[in-house]
Amino acid sequence: MADFRVRRLESRHTKIRNVPIAVTPEGFWCCPSQAVLQKTLKNQNHQNKQKGSSPPSKAPSVQRAPAISSEKRASTPTRSKGVSDDQKCPPTSDNPALSPMRASERPPKPNSEGQKHKISVGFGQQETSDLKVILYGKEGIAVKMSVHKNILAENSNYFAEKLSRESPVSCIEILDCEDVEIYVETVGLMYCKEVKHRLIKQSVPRVLRILKVAESLGFRACMKSCLDYLEAVPWVGDEEEENVVSSVRHLKTDNYGINPILKRVSSDLNNPPNHTLAHIMELVLKSSDERGRREMKSLVLKLLKENSICNNGSSDICVETLYNSCKSCLDSLLVLFREATEPAFSSRALDGKEPITRHIALEADNLLWLVEILADRHVADEFVLMWASQNELSQLHNKLPIMNRHLISCITARIFVGIGRGEVLPCKETRQLLLNVWLQPLIDDYSWLQHGCRSFDRKVVEEGIGRTILTLPLEDQQTILLSWLGSFLKIGDNCPNLQRAFEVWWRRTFIRPYVEQQHGNILPLDRN
């Protein structure tokens, strides 16, 4: 760590501050960060106000240095043992690799506070430098770089054009420099043979800042090294990935070869990802490991909820894939139910029944997962019709032991919840058919669902059933609710509690007509 001196010119005397700064193997100084600069200047301003008081305590990263004349500093030996062979400007035994801070040769330009704080940085052999580049940044910071025309012109299109157009020129000023620290570092990289080696162990955000400055300078070698680094280094988090992609996407692919970077997030394949999605669905649905299947179902469901894979141009493809899986599960369930309800099935040994009952549970669980995806994507209307049309499956339902069939009722319950929440909007005929075919099997399994299914939420399911019933014509509401009332009065808590729906139906049937008659607001109904 070397000392980097910041000088503020006062009306009566001069003060010099030392700022910690890194020295690279090539022999140039990396500019201190903006935070260090501002901390130094803040401490300096604070100390200037304490005239006549005891010396202030030293900041951890800022140290005092005695004032040294320019002549004395010129004879001070260098802090570095020598200059690396990678440096393009040949070193001499008598000349230091770096130029120390010296007072500005011209009055600093005023800023909003009336003063510019000037810093000097030297690259290569200071005695052979033939160009000054002055950067004016934020918060009154100005950096003067002592550089070499041939190095800048060889590496930077920007400086090459400046020097050729304004030649001879001894000073170039860069106004409103957004990132002074990285600008200085990028210019320093022009003195390196292997820029890529200097980027190792840098953070991705810092390399992106270097890439931005290198692009503005037309520093092609640095841009190529930054892109090589970004292609090889892991990206941490979604935000860093988005920053990398947005930073390199606008670059011309032919000139800089950014394809390897973008291939991390996009594919050259012209085919939509329907085949991949179908393959993933098939792998999950046919998994033989219960724990792995359960975890992957949860993960895929979460990913489908988070992104819009089914809301873009591949929406029809995604829905088609899901419905193909639904039909496959339904067909398999029907075949299994037929086999499990045959008279000879009951006489089988336990090890002969177990594969069938396990397969029924697997297909029912798969179908419940698919219904959850369809309902979340608001594309389950067609499935409700498919499910409501399963008359044979419904009739076979009661012939199986409740422990083997209860997951079928979980599917029915999820559909009622979806209709009650407005996630699924089937037509009136489909809703009527669904209640006629599947409500009684659900009532038959209700006691088991309450006590045998941890994920079963009785209140949510009962609200969904009640709201579904109340979407039908009043006469249909009456038929279904009176049938429910008979069941509820027999089995009580082992039956869904639809009292809320019953109250709404009651008011619609007995109170509303009387109120409307009193106010003369009876609506004419077309009985045809």
Side-chain angles (χ1 to χ4, degrees):
M1 186 70 69
D3 288 339
F4 189 71
R5 299 177 179 178
V6 179
R7 167 174 291 185
R8 180 174 178 178
L9 300 180
E10 301 288 349
S11 57
R12 297 182 179 179
H13 58 277
T14 299
K15 295 216 173 183
I16 297 177
R17 291 290 168 189
N18 297 336
V19 181
I21 190 165
V23 180
T24 71
E26 283 71 27
F28 63 82
W29 288 350
C30 294
C31 184
S33 67
Q34 193 78 5
V36 173
L37 294 176
Q38 296 309 318
K39 184 175 181 180
T40 302
L41 297 172
K42 182 178 179 181
N43 290 340
Q44 178 178 328
N45 292 336
H46 177 72
Q47 293 170 9
N48 288 339
K49 294 179 181 179
Q50 298 179 341
K51 294 181 179 179
S53 61
S54 59
S57 60
K58 298 180 181 180
S61 60
V62 181
Q63 299 178 347
R64 277 181 173 271
I68 308 175
S69 64
S70 301
E71 293 78 11
K72 185 176 181 179
R73 283 199 306 272
S75 61
T76 302
T78 177
R79 297 178 182 270
S80 175
K81 293 182 179 181
V83 183
S84 170
D85 294 337
D86 290 344
Q87 184 176 337
K88 294 183 180 179
C89 296
T92 60
S93 58
D94 298 329
N95 294 332
L98 308 176
S99 68
M101 214 301 295
R102 62 181 62 180
S104 175
E105 299 176 358
R106 51 199 296 268
K109 291 190 174 183
N111 64 354
S112 58
E113 300 176 356
Q115 179 73 34
K116 279 283 184 184
H117 306 292
K118 180 160 288 189
I119 304 166
S120 293
V121 181
F123 295 98
Q125 295 299 315
Q126 174 63 24
E127 302 303 325
T128 62
S129 65
D130 52 3
L131 179 65
K132 306 294 182 184
V133 177
I134 303 178
L135 311 175
Y136 294 99
K138 301 176 182 178
E139 304 294 335
I141 296 296
V143 176
K144 181 178 70 175
M145 298 186 292
S146 299
V147 292
H148 302 77
K149 292 181 181 179
N150 63 320
I151 298 295
L152 269 61
E154 179 182 348
N155 290 278
S156 167
N157 293 339
Y158 171 81
F159 284 115
E161 181 181 355
K162 276 276 189 182
L163 294 172
S164 63
R165 186 175 58 193
E166 302 177 8
S167 183
V169 58
S170 60
C171 180
I172 296 176
E173 295 185 344
I174 310 295
L175 304 177
D176 300 324
C177 185
E178 294 183 1
D179 199 341
V180 172
E181 174 192 357
I182 298 300
Y183 205 106
V184 173
E185 183 170 349
T186 305
V187 171
L189 291 174
M190 295 181 187
Y191 287 77
C192 304
K193 283 185 178 180
E194 296 294 338
V195 177
K196 186 176 180 179
H197 292 170
R198 303 276 72 80
L199 299 179
I200 294 177
K201 294 186 179 181
Q202 294 277 15
S203 66
V204 170
R206 189 171 185 88
V207 172
L208 289 176
R209 290 165 63 191
I210 295 174
L211 175 63
K212 182 178 180 181
V213 175
E215 181 187 5
S216 67
L217 294 178
F219 187 3
R220 295 179 178 273
C222 183
M223 292 177 65
K224 182 64 169 60
S225 297
C226 288
L227 293 172
D228 290 343
Y229 168 91
L230 294 172
E231 190 278 329
V233 73
W235 306 333
V236 180
D238 295 337
E239 182 178 356
E240 189 166 278
E241 176 179 312
E242 290 302 318
N243 289 338
V244 172
V245 173
S246 61
S247 297
V248 305
R249 191 181 294 277
H250 69 281
L251 298 176
K252 292 183 179 180
T253 307
D254 296 339
N255 293 339
Y256 301 107
I258 64 172
N259 268 342
I261 296 177
L262 297 181
K263 280 183 178 180
R264 283 200 197 180
V265 297
S266 60
S267 174
D268 292 336
L269 298 177
N270 296 323
N271 296 329
N274 58 313
H275 299 301
T276 303
L277 177 60
H279 184 57
I280 293 173
M281 302 292 289
E282 182 180 5
L283 289 174
V284 174
L285 294 173
K286 294 184 178 181
S287 171
S288 59
D289 182 76
E290 182 179 354
R291 180 176 179 180
R293 182 176 63 253
R294 183 173 61 253
E295 291 184 359
M296 287 310 301
K297 282 182 176 179
S298 176
L299 176 60
V300 173
L301 180 61
K302 184 190 75 169
L303 294 175
L304 288 174
K305 286 183 176 181
E306 288 179 354
N307 61 40
S308 57
I309 187 172
C310 292
N311 288 339
N312 55 22
S314 61
S315 175
D316 295 338
I317 298 170
C318 178
V319 172
E320 182 181 357
T321 300
L322 293 172
Y323 272 105
N324 286 338
S325 299
C326 288
K327 292 176 183 177
S328 176
C329 290
L330 277 173
D331 293 341
S332 179
L333 271 177
L334 187 56
V335 171
L336 292 168
F337 265 58
R338 287 170 181 168
E339 183 176 356
T341 54
E342 290 178 353
F345 185 80
S346 59
S347 61
R348 292 185 187 181
L350 182 61
D351 56 351
K353 294 180 180 179
E354 187 176 358
I356 302 299
T357 56
R358 189 187 304 116
H359 198 180
I360 290 175
L362 173 61
E363 294 295 355
D365 185 68
N366 288 340
L367 202 56
L368 182 61
W369 178 60
L370 293 170
V371 172
E372 187 71 34
I373 297 174
L374 291 171
D376 181 73
R377 310 310 298 180
H378 305 293
V379 289
D381 295 3
E382 184 180 344
F383 179 82
V384 177
L385 178 59
M386 293 170 56
W387 187 248
S389 303
Q390 299 298 316
N391 288 302
E392 183 180 359
L393 188 64
S394 175
Q395 292 172 3
L396 296 174
H397 180 270
N398 283 339
K399 297 181 180 181
L400 261 68
I402 190 171
M403 63 181 298
N404 298 330
R405 75 188 191 209
H406 70 279
L407 285 176
I408 300 297
S409 293
C410 288
I411 299 172
T412 303
R414 181 61 183 91
I415 294 174
F416 282 132
V417 171
I419 296 175
R421 291 175 174 174
E423 298 172 339
V424 187
L425 302 174
C427 65
K428 179 187 68 175
E429 291 75 18
T430 301
R431 299 194 302 272
Q432 288 176 325
L433 185 61
L434 176 68
L435 287 162
N436 292 335
V437 172
W438 286 110
L439 180 57
Q440 188 57 49
L442 176 60
I443 293 175
D444 294 340
D445 295 347
Y446 207 73
S447 176
W448 182 279
L449 294 175
Q450 292 183 75
H451 302 97
C453 296
R454 295 181 179 178
S455 60
F456 187 80
D457 191 329
R458 174 173 182 168
K459 292 184 177 180
V460 173
V461 173
E462 290 171 353
E463 184 177 16
I465 298 172
R467 289 183 176 183
T468 303
I469 295 172
L470 294 174
T471 62
L472 300 179
L474 196 60
E475 292 82 358
D476 295 319
Q477 297 176 34
Q478 176 178 319
T479 302
I480 296 173
L481 287 171
L482 289 180
S483 176
W484 160 81
L485 181 60
S487 299
F488 186 74
L489 293 174
K490 290 180 182 179
I491 59 177
D493 285 343
N494 291 329
C495 181
N497 191 333
L498 306 180
Q499 292 186 39
R500 284 191 177 184
F502 189 83
E503 290 177 10
V504 175
W505 166 78
W506 180 281
R507 287 193 294 268
R508 289 175 178 178
T509 301
F510 298 107
I511 300 176
R512 185 181 183 88
Y514 174 78
V515 173
E516 290 179 345
Q517 185 177 12
Q518 292 293 320
H519 293 82
N521 294 328
I522 298 178
L523 297 176
L525 297 177
D526 186 359
R527 297 296 179 181
N528 298 326

